[in-house]
């Protein structure tokens, strides 16, 4: 991973943290090489340059194939509310879902594990993959297994790739917000990140904190059936703060949010306070941010609240033509910017 | 923790009432008022809750030298980097990890394979030493009284032989005097840091108040604590009075925590030290006393920092002026451009208590 050359630039944890250093690394390594610029989300084309949750490519008959891939490492591999197996399936199913592809066709699953790793442990991870696939209505159809030498790897790595085929018109990018669109979050934010950090730091909140890791494709389907969803994102690494900033800057629009309206579980809020971390800055693994046509906002919100995964869904703000590319938070006291968390000040949690 | 007790200090309606009273006081005073806080946690609270956007026109809150990481001098960072590069495990607080010295930061050293560990407390650094008896573990110790006292506590508790401390601890009161004397600072009152005062006691400021004839109010960190502190300071200004007040009585007493203080002064002595960008300040650095020399990393190791050429951009860095309250972060040409949290030029952009980092994250005081 790191270069021992004294002069060359080496990777740091912040290159994987989901914020601007990661984006500039991806730009220089990949976008500059592979991107072409014929993106047109409304025609079902979303390419590499969009840096969306996945890619969409038109095939015959006004349909598009949607693909996404993700490698999962998490410390600890088993955490309150889930494990790396559940995370690996939900992560990819959710990236497809927020592209508008709520019925995944198939999933690949590749494992990289270390010599000496217990087969029982692997079996339990795969059982979790199986259960989560069942929740999401998808099957693993191909995969790969690699065993590395002892000491070459810190923990298991699972890569999953998901594929779906959808009508080209139903592809939803993260960049198509319009002025006036309502911003809805599907439930309490920060659960996954705070649960993992508390577990790692052994702060004694564990009994009450659980990751929200779950497939959200059914929830997304419910929202899309209830009204016109203009943009979507699953706020994983970098949390709601990063997701909202990306949506604002890619849509060339400003966002105004009402902080007291953003649902945060009470125990998560307390633990976050102790850890000195904003729940808006940490990962969620079972939540969605929706941009919704203002006229349909109530209908979508009601439909979400009727869904078991959306009971705490809330309307938290709207898109505006002011302060383009930024997110302004009304704290209940005054106003401030909500920025992306920079760098990886924290242990890796997803 | 956001318990019911702290939540009562986050009541927006009560905040509006205090702001109304601040409006009245400012009208009475009839001229601009500058108040200085000396604590990054105050800036955090002010920026995070957007309090500046609520305040009456003419009332400005300046930032003083309240971030111990920000005033840590580059040569101190160089010492830690040199130790790590020499194979000694350096444990430090996360805030210190990315602070650049003249030859890079501990994060840079770590990326190249040097043994650097981020810890949350002095005792965690001791545990690290206990778990690795064959390694030398140096705790690069930073912070004001609130972290100096715990560092002292682990040293008086018979730490393992392979543990030592590289002290960059700072002591605030002498720095307040220096800032109060700076020709460009025109401060009508100080909002002193409540958590440091839990250790030192607010009585510590009595001398300062009488010598500099400036009111000092010790304040807490919830939005209402800050606003109440401002109200008390404006009351002094409107009456043209000087005094000392404890606006954080639920945590702070006049005497402070005598056990913590005794331990701190048993282990540390105040010495003169350079506060980055501000001045050489007498009595504002905390060095290990002779009795604890065996745990002093500067005694144990022959530290030969590679004092390379500092980043040429650091010439333009306004950290010092910002920490002295004479400039705002957005007065700096590097702010958010060449200097960002991911590629910082000055320490003010690194620490979560650093004014530049806080302003970049929360927007400082724009009309938003």
């Amino acid at each position: 991973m790191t270069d021992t050359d004294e002069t060359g630039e080496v990777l740091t944890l912040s290159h994987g943290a989901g914020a601007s250093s990661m984006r500039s690394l991806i730009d220089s390594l990949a976008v500059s090489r592979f991107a072409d610029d014929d993106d047109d989300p409304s025609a079902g084309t979303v390419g590499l340059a969009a840096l969306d949750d996945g890619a969409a490519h038109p095939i015959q008959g006004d349909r598009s194939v949607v693909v996404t891939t993700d490698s999962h490492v998490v410390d600890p591999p088993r955490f309150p509310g889930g494990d790396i197996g559940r995370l690996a399936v939900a992560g990819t199913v959710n990236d497809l879902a927020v592209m508008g592809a709520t019925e995944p066709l198939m999933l690949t699953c590749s494992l990289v594990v270390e010599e000496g790793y217990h087969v029982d442990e692997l079996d339990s991870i795969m059982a979790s993959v199986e259960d989560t696939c069942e929740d999401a209505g998808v099957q693993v159809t191909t995969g790969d297994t690699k065993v590395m030498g002892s000491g070459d790897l810190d923990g298991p790595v699972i890569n999953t790739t998901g594929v779906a085929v959808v009508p080209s018109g139903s592809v939803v990018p993260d960049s198509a917000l319009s002025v006036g669109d309502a911003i809805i979050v599907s439930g309490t934010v920060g659960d996954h990140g705070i649960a993992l950090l508390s577990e790692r730091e052994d702060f004694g909140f564990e009994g009450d904190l659980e990751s929200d890791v779950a497939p959200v494709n059914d929830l997304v389907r419910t929202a899309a059936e209830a009204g016109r969803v203009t943009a979507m994102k699953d706020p994983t690494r970098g949390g709601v703060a990063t997701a909202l900033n990306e949506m604002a800057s890619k849509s060339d629009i400003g966002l105004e949010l009402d902080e007291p309206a953003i649902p945060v579980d009470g125990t998560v809020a307390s633990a976050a306070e102790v850890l000195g971390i904003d729940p808006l800055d940490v990962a969620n693994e079972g939540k969605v941010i929706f941009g919704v046509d203002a006229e349909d906002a109530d209908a979508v919100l009601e439909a979400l609240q009727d869904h078991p995964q959306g009971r705490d869904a809330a309307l938290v703000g709207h898109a505006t033509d002011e302060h383009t590319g930024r997110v302004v938070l009304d704290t209940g006291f005054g106003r401030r910017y909500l920025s992306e968390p920079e760098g990886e000040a924290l242990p890796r949690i997803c | 923790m956001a318990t019911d007790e702290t939540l009562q200090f986050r009541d927006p309606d009560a905040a509006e009432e205090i702001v109304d009273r601040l409006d009245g006081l400012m009208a009475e005073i009839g001229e601009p008022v500058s108040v200085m806080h000396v604590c990054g946690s105050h800036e955090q609270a002010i920026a995070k809750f957007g309090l500046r956007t609520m305040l009456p026109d003419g009332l400005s809150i300046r930032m003083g030298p309240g971030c111990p990481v920000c005033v840590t001098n580059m040569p101190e960072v160089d010492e830690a980097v040199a130790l790590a590069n020499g194979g000694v495990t350096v444990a430090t607080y996360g805030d210190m990890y990315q602070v650049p010295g003249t030859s890079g930061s501990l994060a840079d050293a770590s990326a190249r394979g040097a043994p650097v560990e981020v810890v949350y407390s002095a005792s965690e650094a001791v545990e690290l030493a206990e778990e690795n008896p064959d390694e030398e573990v140096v705790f690069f110790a930073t912070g004001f009284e609130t972290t100096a006292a715990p560092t002292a506590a682990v040293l008086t508790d018979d730490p393992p032989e392979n543990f030592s401390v590289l002290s960059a601890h700072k002591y605030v009161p002498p720095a307040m005097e220096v800032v109060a004397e700076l020709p460009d600072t025109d401060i009508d009152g100080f909002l002193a840091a409540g958590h440091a005062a839990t250790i030192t006691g607010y009585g510590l400021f009595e001398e300062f108040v009488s010598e500099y004839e400036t009111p000092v109010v010790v304040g807490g960190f919830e939005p209402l604590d800050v606003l109440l502190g401002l109200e008390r300071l404006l009351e002094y200004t409107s009456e043209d009075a000087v005094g000392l007040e404890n606006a954080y009585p639920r945590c702070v007493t006049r005497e402070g925590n005598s056990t913590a203080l005794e331990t701190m002064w048993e282990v540390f002595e105040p010495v003169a030290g350079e506060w980055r960008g501000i001045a050489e300040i007498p009595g504002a650095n905390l060095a290990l006393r002779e009795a604890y020399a065996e745990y002093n990393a500067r005694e144990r190791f022959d530290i030969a920092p590679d004092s390379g050429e500092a980043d040429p951009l650091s010439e333009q860095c306004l950290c010092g002026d910002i920490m002295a309250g004479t400039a705002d972060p957005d007065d700096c040409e590097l702010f958010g451009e060449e200097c960002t949290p991911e590629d910082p030029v000055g320490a003010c952009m690194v620490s979560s208590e650093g004014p530049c980092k806080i302003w970049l994250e929360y927007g400082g005081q724009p009309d938003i």
Side-chain angles (χ1 to χ4, degrees), chain A residues 2 5-6 8 10-12 19-21 201 205 270 273-274 278 281 326 331-337 339 342-343, chain B residues 1-2 9-12 15-16 47-51 53-54 111-112 120 222-224 341-342 360-363 366 368:
Chain A
T2 53
D5 178 356
E6 279 296 307
V10 296
L11 290 180
T12 65
S20 61
S21 8
E201 300 306 330
F205 286 101
S270 294
E273 192 86 4
V274 170
D278 193 328
D281 287 350
R326 301 224 56 162
T331 66
F333 294 89
R335 290 153 64 81
R336 65 156 165 107
Y337 290 132
S339 297
E342 290 281 348
Chain B
M1 198 188 297
F9 297 97
R10 289 189 187 174
D11 174 359
E16 290 291 345
K48 184 174 173 189
F49 290 97
L51 299 187
T53 64
M54 304 179 86
R112 292 183 189 284
Y120 283 79
E222 294 297 329
L224 295 192
E342 294 187 320
L360 198 70
E361 181 174 1
Y362 297 125
I368 52 177

Side-chain angles (χ1 to χ4, degrees), chain B residues 14-359:
Chain B
E16 290 291 345
E17 285 173 27
I18 303 172
V19 169
D20 285 347
R21 299 204 292 272
L22 293 178
D23 284 335
L25 284 162
M26 283 303 291
E28 232 172 83
I29 295 166
E31 58 182 20
V33 175
S34 284
V35 167
M36 177 177 275
H37 67 68
V38 275
C39 179
S41 303
H42 272 143
E43 187 55 35
Q44 268 281 349
I46 290 162
K48 184 174 173 189
F49 290 97
L51 299 187
R52 278 197 184 84
T53 64
M54 304 179 86
L55 297 181
D57 290 344
L59 172 57
S60 102
I61 311 179
R62 318 290 311 163
M63 295 167 275
C67 163
V69 168
C70 304
V71 297
T72 300
N73 209 18
M74 279 203 189
E76 294 173 298
V77 178
D78 290 343
E79 286 179 301
V81 169
L83 281 169
N85 284 337
V88 174
T89 299
V90 174
T92 194
Y93 294 117
D95 274 9
M96 210 60 224
Y97 187 61
Q98 277 191 301
V99 175
T102 58
S103 52
S105 64
L106 285 169
D108 297 329
S110 173
R112 292 183 189 284
V116 181
E117 297 284 339
V118 170
V119 292
Y120 283 79
S121 64
S123 48
E124 201 182 325
V126 170
E127 281 165 27
L128 192 67
E130 284 166 348
E131 286 160 12
N132 301 281
D134 299 333
E135 288 174 24
E136 282 289 336
V137 174
V138 173
F139 179 45
F140 183 31
T142 61
F144 297 131
E145 298 88 320
T146 36
T147 54
T151 303
V154 300
L155 288 181
T156 55
D157 194 25
D158 197 20
E161 278 178 12
N162 60 329
F163 177 80
S164 59
V165 168
L166 180 69
S167 173
H169 281 303
K170 311 283 173 196
Y171 188 54
V172 183
M176 276 175 70
E177 294 176 17
V178 166
V179 169
E181 284 173 11
L182 284 178
D184 297 338
T185 356
D186 186 14
I187 298 301
D188 298 290
F190 284 90
L191 185 64
H195 48 23
T198 59
I199 308 284
T200 61
Y202 70 85
L204 178 79
F205 297 108
E206 281 163 5
E207 216 180 293
F208 177 88
V209 168
S210 58
E211 187 164 336
Y212 292 91
E213 295 183 346
T214 306
V216 172
V217 172
V218 175
F221 303 96
E222 294 297 329
L224 295 192
D225 288 320
V226 173
L227 293 171
L228 280 171
L230 293 175
E231 185 184 10
R232 296 287 172 267
L233 285 168
L234 286 191
E235 281 168 0
Y236 280 118
T237 308
S238 71
E239 291 159 15
D240 213 9
V242 169
L244 170 64
E245 187 159 329
N246 178 16
Y248 197 31
R250 68 182 187 279
C251 295
V252 174
T253 61
R254 185 175 177 282
E255 291 73 28
N257 181 336
S258 56
T259 313
L261 275 179
E262 274 165 29
T263 311
M264 188 176 97
W265 292 126
E266 183 194 323
V267 171
F268 290 108
E269 60 183 339
V271 298
E274 183 77 23
W275 281 35
R276 179 178 180 159
I278 299 180
E280 158 119 357
I281 305 180
N285 276 17
L286 296 175
L288 289 180
R289 288 183 191 275
E290 191 53 40
Y292 289 87
E294 59 176 314
Y295 296 114
N296 188 341
R298 293 187 176 99
E299 302 275 344
R300 184 175 299 187
F301 303 100
D302 185 17
I303 309 175
D306 171 22
S307 48
E309 289 291 309
D311 180 349
L313 282 174
S314 65
E315 297 283 311
Q316 286 166 262
C317 170
L318 291 188
C319 262
D321 300 318
I322 293 163
M323 295 308 293
T326 56
D328 284 332
D330 52 8
D331 292 332
C332 180
E333 286 181 13
L334 307 177
F335 178 71
E337 303 288 333
E338 288 92 343
C339 182
T340 61
E342 294 187 320
D343 192 11
V345 177
C348 298
M349 190 55 94
V350 178
S351 169
S352 56
E353 307 246 306
C356 295
K357 170 123 186 240
I358 294 171
W359 276 43

Side-chain angles (χ1 to χ4, degrees), chain A residues 9 16 27 55 63 77 109 113 134 138 177 186 189 191 212 217 226 267 274 282 294 300 326 336 339-340:
Chain A
E9 191 190 356
D27 272 338
R63 293 185 303 164
C109 180
V113 283
E134 199 164 305
V138 65
L177 288 173
S186 68
V189 307
D191 300 7
D212 57 353
N217 49 331
T267 313
V274 170
V282 299
V300 170
R326 301 224 56 162
R336 65 156 165 107
S339 297
E340 294 181 329

Side-chain angles (χ1 to χ4, degrees), chain A residues 8-318:
Chain A
E9 191 190 356
V10 296
L11 290 180
T12 65
L13 283 175
S14 64
H15 284 118
S20 61
S21 8
M22 185 171 100
R23 282 197 294 274
S24 55
L25 185 75
I26 294 173
D27 272 338
S28 73
L29 293 181
V31 176
S32 63
R33 291 198 166 89
F34 307 122
D36 49 29
D37 46 21
D38 56 359
D39 269 15
D40 182 1
S42 58
T45 310
V46 177
L48 184 61
L51 296 177
D52 207 325
D53 300 286
H57 192 78
I59 50 178
Q60 74 275 35
D62 287 338
R63 293 185 303 164
S64 285
V65 60
V66 181
V67 182
T68 191
T69 188
D70 205 340
S71 294
H72 299 268
V73 286
V74 61
D75 180 21
R78 198 180 297 281
F79 48 82
D83 60 21
I84 188 171
R86 185 164 179 81
L87 187 68
V89 174
T92 292
V93 166
N94 294 351
D95 278 345
L96 286 178
V98 296
M99 294 296 295
T102 55
E103 286 171 37
L105 264 186
M106 52 185 158
L107 211 62
T108 72
C109 180
S110 298
L111 301 174
V112 189
V113 283
E114 193 183 21
E115 178 186 20
Y117 199 77
H118 285 271
V119 174
D120 282 357
E121 192 65 26
L122 211 51
D123 188 55
S124 114
I125 290 172
M126 291 310 290
S128 175
V129 167
E130 183 184 7
D131 288 348
T132 316
C133 279
E134 199 164 305
D135 291 349
V138 65
Q139 274 200 315
V140 171
T141 51
T142 182
D144 178 49
T145 309
K146 290 277 181 296
V147 180
M148 309 280 286
S150 175
D152 288 350
L153 206 59
D154 208 17
V157 180
I158 306 184
N159 174 278
T160 52
T161 297
V163 181
V165 175
V166 298
S168 295
S170 59
V171 170
V172 181
D174 57 8
S175 57
L177 288 173
S178 308
V179 173
D181 282 358
I183 304 297
I184 293 174
V185 296
S186 68
T188 53
V189 307
D191 300 7
H192 177 79
I194 298 297
L196 263 80
L197 286 167
S198 298
E199 172 87 358
R200 293 187 56 132
E201 300 306 330
D202 201 14
F203 272 118
F205 286 101
E206 292 77 13
D208 303 315
L209 290 172
E210 279 203 348
S211 165
D212 57 353
V213 58
V216 294
N217 49 331
D218 190 57
L219 184 73
V220 169
R221 193 180 307 127
T222 301
E225 284 167 5
R228 198 170 80 83
V229 174
T230 56
M232 269 190 283
K233 205 145 188 70
D234 62 332
T236 54
R237 248 180 328 188
V240 167
T242 299
L244 287 169
N245 273 285
E246 277 193 37
M247 292 173 89
S249 67
K250 289 181 183 178
S251 306
D252 222 8
I253 215 164
L255 292 178
E256 296 220 13
L257 291 223
D258 181 22
E259 188 173 22
I262 302 173
V264 181
D265 171 82
T267 313
V268 168
S270 294
E273 192 86 4
V274 170
L275 290 161
I277 292 164
D278 193 328
L280 301 182
D281 287 350
V282 299
N284 307 270
E285 294 293 344
K287 297 290 154 41
V288 184
I289 299 175
F290 297 97
V292 180
D293 190 318
E295 284 187 8
D296 294 345
D298 289 342
V300 170
L301 186 62
E302 270 174 42
L304 285 171
Q305 287 170 342
D306 283 342
H307 190 283
Q309 286 177 284
R311 279 192 304 266
D312 297 317
L315 176 67
V316 298
H318 64 275

